[in-house]
Amino acid sequence: MSAHLSPVGIDRSLLAGPVHVPVQIRCGDGPSDGLPHLLRDLAPGRIVLVTDPGLPREHAARVLRLLGTAAPTAVLWPDGDGPLVVPDGALAVALGGSRVIEAADRARCADGTRPALVRLPTTLRAMTDTALSVAGPAGPVASPALVRIDLDHLATLPPHRLRAGLAPLLRTVLAVVPASAGRVASRLRPGGGYDPQTLASYVSLCLEARAALCSHDPLGRGPAAALRYGEPVARAVRGLAGPGLPYGDALGPGLRAAAAVSRRRGLLGPADEAAHDELLAAAGIARTLPGGVCPRAVAAAVTGGREEARMVLLRGLGDPYAHHGSLLAPVRAEELEAALAELVPVEPVPAEPVPAEPVPAELLPAGRRVPVPDRDPDRARVRVPGGRDGRLPAPGGAVSRK
């Protein structure tokens, strides 16, 4: 991000069925602007901060100070995929990336009820995707009382993490709002260096697209399934490559694989498929499978050992293909493997050495000769230590002089 952070203040709402989620986008003033007052309005008996020990210390300390002015606050670090138990009447505040937000969604009070929830995402992927979701893989999740997006958190991310975090934005452009492709692409920078206004516009675009799709489809089983474009392959690639691979560098190949399957079926035209490559390249996001990850293993992980997987395919940019009324079309394992084979990185072919030409005799110093290599391999001679050219040593190691 730019070293100078211009103030940003955007208030939006996410309407998803009966759920109304206030979303605030801020930059420049830190999270102090009105946050304690908003939390006190929720009347928490106490606050449990769900966060990650890897979060920069200054971020966690600043948020802890603010939460402490609203109610007594404790810290909880998620461990594994199990449920988190918080005290009855507590407010759960998720501060971190997608993993932390998903862990806070699993929080339960001792009596089994869901606590009130506030999301404070700290990564670009969480800001444009996870923190805006009101549905999980197993069905509905706790609807957050507030999503507070503080763009200041992005200043601490390394450039490659910030670039990879743009992948959900590109998915939204390709599968939902292709009319914004030109405006988005004109601001993409492979080397990073985004100003807060640009990042705020990207987050707002993802929020508005999600609100339009989820207003009548909060669980993502109808039109909102378009937001899962490229997701099955992305999860499989990340599972095979390991959590060290940024999610965006797994979603990039996922988007290209879905486009390749669509093109192979005659659904997607070459120009629309090329648009995937162009946007990913402009953002500096990986477009091929990571090294050591083979297409067959990815296809097997996506299908889970079955003959088919369910994937979102496109008939055109922003036009998902409907199969019997569902946006999740069946894709055979071998069909997916063939598409993934197009994403294997091409190793450069080393150039063959050019044989040295003999030096013309007239260019040599007087009294010197340079042996000319015999270019016929069948007539090549071998030099044996202690022997003459072309003669093999006799038994016992002596050189025959016959």
Side-chain angles (χ1 to χ4, degrees), residues 158-261:
H160 74 280
R161 290 279 178 178
L162 186 61
R163 287 197 302 270
L166 291 166
L169 164 72
L170 305 189
R171 171 178 59 194
T172 300
V173 170
L174 293 167
V176 184
V177 284
S180 64
R183 177 164 53 92
V184 168
S186 66
R187 295 183 170 189
L188 292 175
R189 303 288 183 269
Y194 294 97
D195 60 82
Q197 287 76 18
T198 296
L199 293 173
S201 71
Y202 287 166
V203 174
S204 295
L205 176 63
C206 293
L207 171 59
E208 292 165 5
R210 185 176 292 269
L213 291 175
C214 294
S215 59
H216 298 290
D217 183 24
L219 298 183
R221 296 171 180 169
L227 295 171
R228 295 161 65 181
Y229 184 54
E231 180 71 18
V233 171
R235 289 189 177 275
V237 168
R238 204 168 187 221
L240 293 169
L245 180 73
Y247 173 80
D249 287 338
L251 183 56
L255 297 173
R256 288 196 64 209
V261 172

Side-chain angles (χ1 to χ4, degrees), residues 52-397:
D52 191 318
L55 191 73
R57 185 173 300 176
E58 60 272 20
H59 289 332
R62 183 177 60 178
V63 172
L64 269 174
R65 287 196 300 269
L66 293 170
L67 299 181
T69 64
T73 303
V75 178
L76 182 62
W77 292 341
D79 184 16
D81 297 329
L84 301 179
V85 179
V86 301
D88 293 346
L91 168 68
V93 177
L95 175 68
S98 294
R99 188 179 71 88
V100 168
I101 291 174
E102 290 170 350
D105 288 343
R106 300 192 300 270
R108 297 291 186 274
C109 297
D111 60 2
T113 60
R114 297 176 183 268
L117 176 65
V118 170
R119 293 172 176 169
L120 306 178
T122 60
T123 66
L124 192 53
R125 177 202 170 188
M127 294 175 182
T128 57
D129 185 14
T130 320
L132 304 178
S133 174
V134 296
V141 300
S143 58
L146 173 69
V147 175
R148 175 80 171 215
I149 296 173
D150 178 15
L151 297 175
D152 290 311
H153 290 306
L154 301 180
T156 62
L157 294 179
H160 74 280
R161 290 279 178 178
L162 186 61
R163 287 197 302 270
L166 291 166
L169 164 72
L170 305 189
R171 171 178 59 194
T172 300
V173 170
L174 293 167
V176 184
V177 284
S180 64
R183 177 164 53 92
V184 168
S186 66
R187 295 183 170 189
L188 292 175
R189 303 288 183 269
Y194 294 97
D195 60 82
Q197 287 76 18
T198 296
L199 293 173
S201 71
Y202 287 166
V203 174
S204 295
L205 176 63
C206 293
L207 171 59
E208 292 165 5
R210 185 176 292 269
L213 291 175
C214 294
S215 59
H216 298 290
D217 183 24
L219 298 183
R221 296 171 180 169
L227 295 171
R228 295 161 65 181
Y229 184 54
E231 180 71 18
V233 171
R235 289 189 177 275
V237 168
R238 204 168 187 221
L240 293 169
L245 180 73
Y247 173 80
D249 287 338
L251 183 56
L255 297 173
R256 288 196 64 209
V261 172
S262 301
R263 183 251 304 155
R264 285 170 166 268
R265 288 194 177 187
L267 299 173
L268 194 66
D272 288 342
E273 184 183 20
H276 290 64
D277 252 349
E278 293 166 3
L279 277 175
L280 292 168
I285 296 174
R287 292 169 287 158
T288 58
L289 293 175
V293 176
C294 69
R296 177 165 296 179
V298 176
V302 172
T303 57
R306 299 181 297 273
E307 294 183 358
E308 295 179 339
R310 297 281 175 171
M311 295 175 54
V312 176
L313 305 178
L314 296 183
R315 296 186 302 179
L317 298 183
D319 184 15
Y321 166 69
H323 176 78
H324 297 307
S326 172
L327 296 192
L328 299 179
V331 178
R332 299 187 309 278
E334 60 270 20
E335 183 182 12
L336 178 57
E337 182 181 345
L340 289 164
E342 301 178 12
L343 310 184
V344 176
V346 178
E347 296 291 338
V349 180
E352 294 185 2
V354 179
E357 295 293 332
V359 181
E362 60 270 16
L363 299 181
L364 293 176
R368 294 192 59 186
R369 295 180 59 196
V370 174
V372 178
D374 194 332
R375 300 185 184 278
D376 186 352
D378 294 330
R379 298 173 55 192
R381 296 182 175 185
V382 293
R383 179 178 294 276
V384 179
R388 299 178 181 178
D389 290 351
R391 297 185 181 184
L392 299 176

